[in-house]
Amino acid sequence: MRSGGVALRAHKPQDMSRYLESGGPLNLKLRLDEKPSGEVQASVDCGSDCAGSLSLLESLQQIPVNEWAEMSIDTLVFRQTVRGFLAG
């Protein structure tokens, strides 16, 4: 299996609080060549004392191989699991 990654980055800090507070999801459209054999994570790194990860392995195991599929991650999960996310 090929390893890979996707990163969404900005050159300066972005205020995403209105989007997150309104329950905006992170929507992905993806296609698997094969089922993942190891851990797959969605990670957030928003500066010092603000980082965390969420396992996607169970969700990805449910996606059919060689077909395009949509996956949605509720941003509330990041608010609950990422240390320092939207703090202050």
Side-chain angles (χ1 to χ4, degrees), residues 47-78:
S48 61
D49 295 326
C50 181
S53 298
L54 169 70
S55 176
L56 301 179
L57 183 59
E58 187 176 322
S59 296
L60 291 173
Q61 292 290 353
Q62 305 304 312
I63 294 176
V65 174
N66 295 320
E67 295 180 22
W68 285 100
E70 293 185 12
M71 181 176 176
S72 183
I73 301 171
D74 186 344
T75 54
L76 178 60
V77 174
F78 287 120

Side-chain angles (χ1 to χ4, degrees), residues 4 10 23 25 33 36-37 42-43 46-47 50 52 54 57-58 80 85 88:
D33 293 331
S37 58
S43 300
C46 38
C50 181
L54 169 70
L57 183 59
E58 187 176 322
Q80 295 170 338
F85 199 62

Side-chain angles (χ1 to χ4, degrees), residues 26-51:
L26 174 61
N27 294 314
L28 307 169
K29 189 165 191 174
L30 52 97
R31 181 177 179 265
L32 300 175
D33 293 331
E34 58 187 69
K35 297 283 185 181
S37 58
E39 185 58 59
V40 180
Q41 298 181 339
S43 300
V44 172
D45 183 355
C46 38
S48 61
D49 295 326
C50 181

